[in-house]
Amino acid sequence: LANTVNVTGGFSQSSGALTLASGAQLVVSGAASFTGGTIATSVSGTANYLAGSAAGTLIQGGTGSGYDGVTVQTGSVTGLALQAQTSGTNLVARALNDYIGVSLGSLSNTGTLSAATAVYVAASGSLGSLTNSGTLSGSNAAIHNAGALGPITNTGVIAGNIDNLTAQALQISGGTLTGYAANTQGTITNTLGN
């Protein structure tokens, strides 16, 4: 679907593929029943997605909607971790990490954020400052910067590597840097900066 489509009544899919353009959704006034097949969509890499927030609604269903058995493909924006989840009667794509694809003044983590890359600043992104009093944990990297990253203030734990791929110098103060796996040490890779 290139645009949002409204369906009056119910809608069901047990096989096949429903492909949604970025930002498009299927709006069903009755029950949306997805027991098989695939829903495919894409999201923009030049946007910000914060962990736990909806990156977009795929299906807006009415009472009795269910999505068990459907496979959701959310595209391939490098560094962005998304997962399909239900929200009431809707099917949404929810961010599992903090992805900065445009400008964001500041970001604060007070809980535990664990993903392949917990905080990812894309080449198109700019993050003014990062404050962590919780745990940022990443199997690829806890923090990855390919854009612009301001000072990092850490009174918590950064579990995993810190990768800086830009000429900008890293500014990190306080806290603990450990490896992602138990009894390992994380590394700071500062390819072009000081």
Side-chain angles (χ1 to χ4, degrees), residues 122-133:
S124 60
S126 171
L127 178 56
S129 66
L130 173 61
T131 303
N132 176 49
S133 60

Side-chain angles (χ1 to χ4, degrees), residues 137-150:
S137 177
S139 56
N140 292 339
I143 301 169
H144 176 94
N145 177 44
L149 176 60

Side-chain angles (χ1 to χ4, degrees), residues 11 19 59 65 72 75 79 86 98 102 106 120 125 145 164 176 192-193:
F11 182 90
T19 302
I59 310 295
S65 293
V72 177
T86 57
D98 291 327
V102 291
S106 64
Y120 190 98
N145 177 44
N164 182 35
T176 302
L192 302 172

Side-chain angles (χ1 to χ4, degrees), residues 58-74:
L58 308 176
I59 310 295
Q60 185 177 348
T63 302
S65 293
Y67 307 98
D68 293 337
V70 70
T71 300
V72 177
Q73 299 170 345
T74 55

Side-chain angles (χ1 to χ4, degrees), residues 31-173:
S33 175
F34 285 80
T35 57
T38 302
I39 299 172
T41 191
S42 60
V43 295
S44 173
T46 54
N48 295 332
Y49 304 97
L50 301 182
S53 67
T57 300
L58 308 176
I59 310 295
Q60 185 177 348
T63 302
S65 293
Y67 307 98
D68 293 337
V70 70
T71 300
V72 177
Q73 299 170 345
T74 55
S76 59
V77 173
T78 300
L80 175 60
L82 294 175
Q83 182 179 50
Q85 297 178 347
T86 57
S87 176
T89 58
N90 299 335
L91 182 66
V92 300
R94 191 164 309 280
L96 300 178
N97 69 332
D98 291 327
Y99 175 92
I100 312 304
V102 291
S103 180
L104 182 65
S106 64
L107 179 63
S108 178
N109 177 60
T110 59
T112 297
L113 178 54
S114 182
T117 304
V119 177
Y120 190 98
V121 181
S124 60
S126 171
L127 178 56
S129 66
L130 173 61
T131 303
N132 176 49
S133 60
T135 300
L136 294 173
S137 177
S139 56
N140 292 339
I143 301 169
H144 176 94
N145 177 44
L149 176 60
I152 300 169
T153 303
N154 181 37
T155 58
V157 174
I158 297 174
N161 299 327
I162 298 174
D163 297 334
N164 182 35
L165 307 182
T166 69
Q168 175 187 348
L170 284 174
Q171 300 174 48
I172 305 170
S173 62

